[in-house]
Amino acid sequence: MSAKKTSHSKPKSKAKSFRPNTMWGGRFKAGPAMIMEEINASIDFDRRLAQEDITGSRAHCNMLVAKKIISKKDGAAILSGLKKIEREIAEGKFKFRREFEDIHMNIEARLAKLIGEAAGRLHTARSRNDQVATDFRLWVRGAIDDIEDGLYALQAALIDQAERHTQTVMPGLTHLQSAQPVTFGHHLLAYVEMFGRDRGRFADGRARLNECPLGAAALAGTSFPIDRKKTARELGFDQPMTNSLDAVSDRDFALEFLSSAALAGVHLSRLADEIVLWCSPQFAFITLSDGFSTGSSIMPQKRNPDAAELIRAKSGRIFGDLSGLLATLKGLPLAYAKDMQEDKEPVFDGFDSLNLSLAAMTGMIATLTVNAAAMKAAAGAGHATATDLADWLVRHLDMPFRQAHHVTGALVALADKKGGALSELSLAEMRSVEPRITNVVRRVLSVEKSVASRKSFGGTAPANVERACLEARRRFL
Ligand code: ARG
């Protein structure tokens, strides 16, 4: 069957000649087939490692000079060439070329063009295997720092809103059914806790990844008298990785990053889902700002929460990135295998998805407005203070809780039969179920009284939430 060209096939790179690869082609008579180049090249995505590659090469070069493995003169030429390349990349003038396969060889080839033979000495006592492992660790470390900033900003926006709404009553739900009233501030602070644990997970992973693979060379170490502590130090790592095989072949740091991202994605997705509910006209608890609402091209009345929906969807993408990379790595014998080139795209995609989601969520939270009246009306619906009534029976009539639960259930049924709220039952009606009830009970039936009474540690009482906001500021910001 001949391959039919379709509009969705990507443009192929033109392999003009079949000349052997200048980096590793010594033993070859002919260059790679066009399709080989196509499947082998990673430059289209690993160009994102350019800065880390230059930084790593600089540290390696400094060490080679310090250990007199290369001359000062060659070292100086390499450093000035790298500087020039760094500038070309920053200015968008660098030509990334498929025939040089990946970012490492693109930079080395350019270095050779710029400084000639000395360029060939940079790869002494190094392999692309320890080079890419180093670059990627540096990249993920920077990504963690960006995510940390994003999570921090989101927590700050949530705490700001929570402070405005320590008294705002809303329905607390279980099974999406009215359960007990809570305050909106309390609800938002629940997410502050989740994102706080997410930050902790990223920080844990960062501490574990901060060891340097450079100097592990291809897999076995090197016969040159290198100083791995020096390169590790220069690159901000705590120490060199202990085992050369492990150094070039494990990608657990990438998986840990994606696992943490997936968990943050779960939290973002739940919040996003609640926002979608809250801003629907049926709930009408919140209004998203114009900046975070979209219109419909056919229905003029619509204000759609597209950002929240996309955040909800992007979390699924992050889970895919994680499970894809888990599957890629699980069967690989030590040490390096080219499969591992496929480690980058899921990590880049997971990072991009999470980073953008955090920024959009922060914007939505910071600019939304609350419809306190609608929240309060809904908070009282569904006999949400029935538990307060049962607690009253326990406290004032010394009734066992199970019996109080039963009596309250009968009162709820009576209210339902009359088509009203619990608080609308007359005293006589209440006494027809339990003769010892007095009018004092009315006090516990309001939603404000209900939330104010939830003063146990971690509870929703406005006094608690005010304190919790201060505590959250101290712990997280
Ligand atoms: N582009 C490669 C990667 O990302 C670099 C390492 C190549 N090493 C090798 N032995 N072919 O994995």
Side-chain angles (χ1 to χ4, degrees):
M1 208 174 80
S2 72
K4 227 177 90 201
K5 245 208 151 26
T6 58
S7 57
H8 55 265
S9 60
K10 275 203 247 153
K12 301 273 184 310
S13 64
K14 280 179 256 124
K16 295 154 289 269
S17 64
F18 281 69
R19 267 180 284 118
N21 184 297
T22 51
M23 297 287 146
W24 45 251
R27 61 167 294 181
F28 293 87
K29 285 203 199 71
M34 206 198 286
I35 203 71
M36 179 63 211
E37 187 177 290
E38 184 87 21
I39 194 171
N40 208 29
S42 54
I43 188 61
D44 292 343
F45 53 86
D46 69 14
R47 53 199 283 176
R48 285 183 77 167
L49 299 177
Q51 186 56 54
E52 287 74 13
D53 197 67
I54 291 170
T55 304
S57 287
R58 230 177 234 143
H60 186 63
C61 174
N62 288 335
M63 184 279 292
L64 291 176
V65 172
K67 297 300 288 180
K68 301 195 163 51
I69 298 167
I70 65 172
S71 72
K72 275 195 178 146
K73 191 167 157 263
D74 285 341
I78 290 168
L79 291 180
S80 80
L82 288 173
K83 186 166 212 144
K84 178 122 205 274
I85 292 171
E86 193 173 39
R87 208 171 317 122
E88 287 176 352
I89 291 173
E91 289 167 1
K93 289 185 187 140
F94 189 91
K95 274 199 75 174
F96 296 95
R97 293 156 66 141
R98 276 250 184 103
E99 66 259 40
F100 294 132
E101 201 175 311
D102 59 21
I103 186 61
H104 323 292
M105 296 203 292
N106 265 270
I107 289 178
E108 198 183 316
R110 179 66 186 141
L111 191 64
K113 259 250 150 54
L114 288 171
I115 67 167
E117 209 185 57
R121 299 192 188 276
L122 174 60
H123 214 52
T124 315
R126 183 176 78 170
S127 151
R128 267 190 297 158
N129 296 350
D130 59 336
Q131 187 179 358
V132 71
T134 305
D135 293 0
F136 201 25
R137 273 179 194 257
L138 287 172
W139 193 93
V140 172
R141 192 175 72 186
I144 290 174
D145 294 343
D146 286 351
I147 296 297
E148 158 72 18
D149 291 348
L151 285 165
Y152 173 97
L154 176 53
Q155 283 183 306
L158 285 164
I159 295 171
D160 285 348
Q161 280 289 11
E163 274 170 347
R164 268 171 239 145
H165 295 289
T166 57
Q167 321 252 353
T168 309
V169 181
M170 72 184 289
L173 311 175
T174 60
H175 316 268
L176 201 67
Q177 309 275 327
S178 286
Q180 296 172 355
V182 295
T183 54
F184 188 52
H186 194 57
H187 196 113
L188 295 179
L189 288 183
Y191 285 103
V192 171
E193 293 297 318
M194 295 177 228
F195 294 126
R197 287 192 296 277
D198 289 331
R199 278 171 71 184
R201 263 182 287 275
F202 280 109
D204 290 347
R206 191 190 195 283
R208 251 187 303 281
L209 81 62
N210 206 30
E211 293 187 349
C212 188
L214 199 57
L219 77 166
T222 174
S223 57
F224 290 98
I226 59 172
D227 181 351
R228 291 193 60 202
K229 285 199 176 140
K230 179 175 161 53
T231 40
R233 210 179 313 121
E234 182 171 335
L235 295 172
F237 288 113
D238 298 328
Q239 62 203 53
M241 288 183 77
T242 300
N243 182 294
S244 62
L245 292 165
D246 175 46
V248 293
S249 66
D250 204 4
R251 295 292 184 267
D252 57 355
F253 66 93
L255 288 172
E256 229 180 318
F257 173 75
L258 284 175
S259 323
S260 304
L263 271 168
V266 170
H267 295 150
L268 280 167
S269 182
R270 296 186 77 170
L271 179 53
D273 189 69
E274 297 205 293
I275 289 175
V276 171
L277 285 175
W278 291 341
C279 71
S280 72
Q282 288 72 18
F283 275 74
F285 287 180
I286 61 166
T287 308
L288 294 177
S289 64
D290 282 1
F292 285 94
S293 302
T294 48
S296 154
S297 52
I298 177 169
M299 297 163 283
Q301 84 282 13
K302 299 271 275 186
R303 284 177 76 83
N304 291 332
D306 288 23
E309 294 166 282
L310 287 163
I311 290 167
R312 195 169 57 183
K314 278 189 193 292
S315 66
R317 234 175 116 142
I318 300 172
F319 309 160
D321 294 327
L322 171 62
S323 51
L325 186 54
L326 284 166
T328 299
L329 292 170
K330 71 174 259 303
L332 298 185
L334 300 190
Y336 178 86
K338 195 70 178 234
D339 308 51
M340 290 161 69
Q341 180 163 282
E342 295 282 311
D343 59 2
K344 288 162 209 74
E345 282 168 295
V347 171
F348 292 157
D349 185 74
F351 168 77
D352 291 340
S353 304
L354 180 57
N355 205 31
L356 185 55
S357 297
L358 286 169
M361 183 58 89
T362 303
M364 264 191 300
I365 294 290
T367 59
L368 63 79
T369 49
V370 168
N371 183 353
M375 276 190 183
K376 188 181 159 184
H383 312 301
T385 55
T387 316
D388 299 270
L389 175 52
D391 287 350
W392 186 91
L393 296 171
V394 169
R395 221 176 276 124
H396 290 80
L397 306 182
D398 196 28
M399 216 181 251
F401 181 77
R402 280 287 158 238
Q403 195 190 333
H405 185 288
H406 199 78
V407 169
T408 309
L411 287 164
V412 165
L414 183 60
D416 274 345
K417 206 169 103 197
K418 305 209 59 182
L422 261 181
S423 57
E424 284 160 15
L425 289 175
S426 70
L427 187 60
E429 282 164 338
M430 289 200 256
R431 283 186 166 164
S432 72
V433 175
E434 168 50 62
R436 289 174 294 165
I437 290 179
T438 67
N439 248 332
V440 182
V441 79
R442 299 212 175 277
R443 271 192 228 148
V444 302
L445 296 179
S446 86
V447 289
E448 284 88 355
K449 288 272 162 31
S450 170
V451 293
S453 72
R454 299 290 193 278
K455 282 195 284 237
S456 57
F457 180 79
T460 194
N464 279 24
V465 178
E466 252 161 60
R467 245 178 292 120
C469 285
L470 290 174
E471 271 293 287
R473 258 188 205 292
R474 189 185 59 72
R475 285 162 63 213
F476 297 121
L477 305 184

